[in-house]
Amino acid sequence: MSAVEHRYEVTAHREIFSGRIFSVVSDDVTMPGGGTASRDYVTHVGAVAVVALDEAGQVVLIRQYRHPVGRHLWELPAGLMDVGGEDLDAAALRELAEEADLTAGTVDVLVDLHSSPGFTNEVVRVFLARDLADVPAAQRHERREEEADLQVVRVDLDEAVRMVLAGEITNASCVAGLLAAARARDTGFAELRRPQAPLPR
């Protein structure tokens, strides 16, 4: 037996700010008890991230400065879904090459997440990349601006999970991706989805 859910309808929509990566909007939404309530939120283009797992059981982590929190964070190679018509697995491989100088022979979907649904519609798809190889030196991406001081390291997956549980890794897609990768490894990679699996709606 399933409960009847209220249908939340938008009665008014206003754009407060419009930018290249995200916009801020305000909606008036019907409430179950009657009347409407205002809901401000960020609309986002979405992002991809990659857990790159090598044959030794190590994952690639990136140390990157994030200005909103005012410090460096451990993260996965990641980037925006901002290239029109680009498949998400292709975007993930592009970010892996640009940020970690790596290619991958095998790519699967690990996990999808709504990064912070209380204030944004951002969806992040995290891929698992295996069968890694180096990008030839002459073809490597030149890192600029905030990417110029990226620190790229390889860490044993179990150590990375320990870092998550110890609060040393707090980036949401990195936390989700590492925990999902450990689960996938422990179940023989039997629960992975194909790269073109639909995003959650």
Side-chain angles (χ1 to χ4, degrees):
M1 182 174 177
S2 61
V4 176
E5 293 185 337
H6 173 75
R7 182 176 177 182
Y8 292 84
E9 296 183 353
V10 176
T11 60
H13 175 82
R14 298 169 296 281
E15 186 173 76
I16 299 167
F17 167 81
S18 178
R20 184 181 69 84
I21 297 171
F22 67 86
S23 298
V24 179
V25 299
S26 183
D27 289 348
D28 292 338
V29 185
T30 59
M31 292 289 111
T36 62
S38 180
R39 293 290 179 261
D40 302 332
Y41 61 98
V42 173
T43 63
H44 192 279
V45 296
V48 293
V50 188
V51 177
L53 182 65
D54 68 19
E55 293 181 356
Q58 294 183 316
V59 292
V60 175
L61 294 180
I62 288 174
R63 186 85 167 161
Q64 185 170 9
Y65 178 73
R66 292 299 188 181
H67 188 69
V69 297
R71 62 190 182 95
H72 287 77
L73 298 178
W74 288 112
E75 302 185 350
L76 301 174
L80 300 171
M81 300 178 189
D82 61 349
V83 176
E86 184 178 41
D87 290 336
L88 299 186
D89 56 329
L93 288 173
R94 174 174 51 80
E95 295 295 341
L96 182 63
E98 290 179 0
E99 296 190 351
D101 300 323
L102 291 171
T103 63
T106 304
V107 180
D108 298 286
V109 175
L110 259 181
V111 67
D112 296 319
L113 59 144
H114 290 102
S115 58
S116 190
F119 83 93
T120 181
N121 68 351
E122 181 188 33
V123 174
V124 182
R125 167 154 286 180
V126 185
F127 289 90
L128 177 67
R130 291 174 287 166
D131 302 321
L132 306 179
D134 292 330
V135 173
Q139 299 174 20
R140 291 182 181 176
H141 176 72
E142 182 182 352
R143 299 185 187 107
R144 299 178 178 177
E145 297 181 350
E146 65 181 10
E147 293 183 344
D149 71 341
L150 283 184
Q151 178 186 356
V152 182
V153 300
R154 293 197 191 195
V155 177
D156 184 82
L157 178 55
D158 288 329
E159 170 62 11
V161 169
R162 183 205 65 76
M163 293 169 68
V164 167
L165 299 178
E168 297 168 22
I169 294 175
T170 59
N171 174 279
S173 57
C174 191
V175 168
L178 292 172
L179 296 180
R183 166 69 179 180
R185 177 203 58 193
D186 294 345
T187 56
F189 304 105
E191 300 173 346
L192 299 174
R193 286 175 285 155
R194 58 188 172 80
Q196 291 77 31
L199 282 170
R201 295 291 176 200

